[in-house]
Amino acid sequence: GENVGLHLPTLSVQEGDNSIINCAYSNSASDYFIWYKQESGKGPQFIIDIRSNMDKRQGQRVTVLLNKTVKHLSLQIAATQPGDSAVYFCAENSGYSTLTFGKGTMLLVSP
Amino acid sequence: ETGVTQTPRHLVMGMTNKKSLKCEQHLGHNAMYWYKQSAKKPLELMFVYSLEERVENNSVPSRFSPECPNSSHLFLHLHTLQPEDSALYLCASRAGGETDTQYFGPGTRLTVL
């Protein structure tokens, strides 16, 4: 069936490095994608989103890239900080008002 | 803070208890959601309410009963749960219309003994 998945379950980086978290999706009809950050003991927090009519969108220290040809989504975090340590989820719209979520990638940032 | 609050934050209950989870959104949104988050599994959609009407029930057992009395409040009534129902229960809201972005509350950590 259609699903959203993540290539790497855990990503470890050094403080100051750039981080890239990847996501594959299989529903070619999806036209909206979103990244969430979830810290321990908290709910998912919106980071950035992108619609399928774009291939890149930038926020503060974060960039989302969308490659519709290979159905791939990535989240780039510049100058990663210890406070960025969390689980990151991608999600795609999957029907009436609903999102389908990936399993998540744990980002560990070492000082 | 996202503007979505949930109470209680932690709940321990026996299998014969009846309890309720509460969600309140202060964003003026008109769609609300319940999700279940279990370890090592993707977020599972349980219920969707739009303008106080349930628009989706994602094959959830009847021991979970949602209630949406108005567009700002959402409840999840729990009755005769099983230990495998232990999880983080998340509420989310969405503005409605063409907007897809959902904003989450902090969740209720439920443990069923």
Side-chain angles (χ1 to χ4, degrees), chain B residues 1-14:
Chain B
E1 296 295 326
T2 62
V4 182
T5 58
Q6 290 186 244
T7 55
R9 293 294 309 278
H10 300 273
L11 178 62
V12 179
M13 60 186 290

Side-chain angles (χ1 to χ4, degrees), chain A residues 4 31-32 34 36 38 41-46 49 51 89 93 95-99 101-103, chain B residues 9 33 35 37 40 42-43 45 48 50 55-56 88 90 94 98-106:
Chain A
V4 177
D31 61 2
Y32 176 76
I34 187 168
Y36 287 94
Q38 187 173 22
K42 297 183 179 180
Q45 175 188 357
F46 169 85
D49 58 0
R51 293 214 170 264
F89 299 92
N93 63 343
Y96 178 78
S97 309
T98 61
L99 296 173
F101 291 82
K103 291 184 179 180
Chain B
R9 293 294 309 278
Y33 303 74
Y35 288 90
Q37 188 176 38
K40 301 181 180 180
L43 280 165
L45 178 65
V48 182
S50 178
V55 296
E56 187 158 334
L88 182 68
L90 290 160
R94 182 179 65 89
E98 297 296 317
T99 304
D100 290 296
T101 310
Q102 295 179 23
Y103 296 90
F104 286 84

Side-chain angles (χ1 to χ4, degrees), chain B residues 30-85:
Chain B
N30 58 28
M32 297 185 77
Y33 303 74
W34 279 118
Y35 288 90
K36 176 183 179 182
Q37 188 176 38
S38 304
K40 301 181 180 180
K41 293 176 67 175
L43 280 165
E44 299 174 66
L45 178 65
M46 300 177 72
F47 301 103
V48 182
Y49 275 82
S50 178
L51 296 172
E52 301 153 40
E53 290 188 21
R54 189 189 311 180
V55 296
E56 187 158 334
N57 176 345
N58 209 22
S59 302
V60 179
S62 59
R63 57 186 183 270
F64 295 92
S65 175
E67 179 189 1
C68 187
N70 55 63
S71 59
S72 298
H73 295 86
L74 184 66
F75 295 89
L76 188 63
H77 303 299
L78 314 173
H79 178 48
T80 60
L81 295 192
Q82 304 298 311
E84 59 265 30
D85 296 322

Side-chain angles (χ1 to χ4, degrees), chain A residues 22-28 30 33 50-52 54-56 64-74:
Chain A
N22 297 303
C23 180
Y25 66 94
S26 56
N27 185 354
S28 56
S30 295
F33 304 88
I50 188 168
R51 293 214 170 264
S52 59
M54 303 173 68
D55 53 20
K56 180 180 180 179
V64 55
L65 299 177
L66 176 62
N67 186 331
K68 295 180 288 293
T69 303
V70 295
K71 300 188 185 70
H72 186 266
L73 190 70
S74 68

Side-chain angles (χ1 to χ4, degrees), chain B residues 18-35:
Chain B
K18 291 183 181 180
K19 296 288 184 182
S20 296
L21 309 184
K22 179 182 177 181
C23 176
E24 184 173 359
Q25 58 95 1
H26 313 275
L27 302 169
H29 290 174
N30 58 28
M32 297 185 77
Y33 303 74
W34 279 118
Y35 288 90

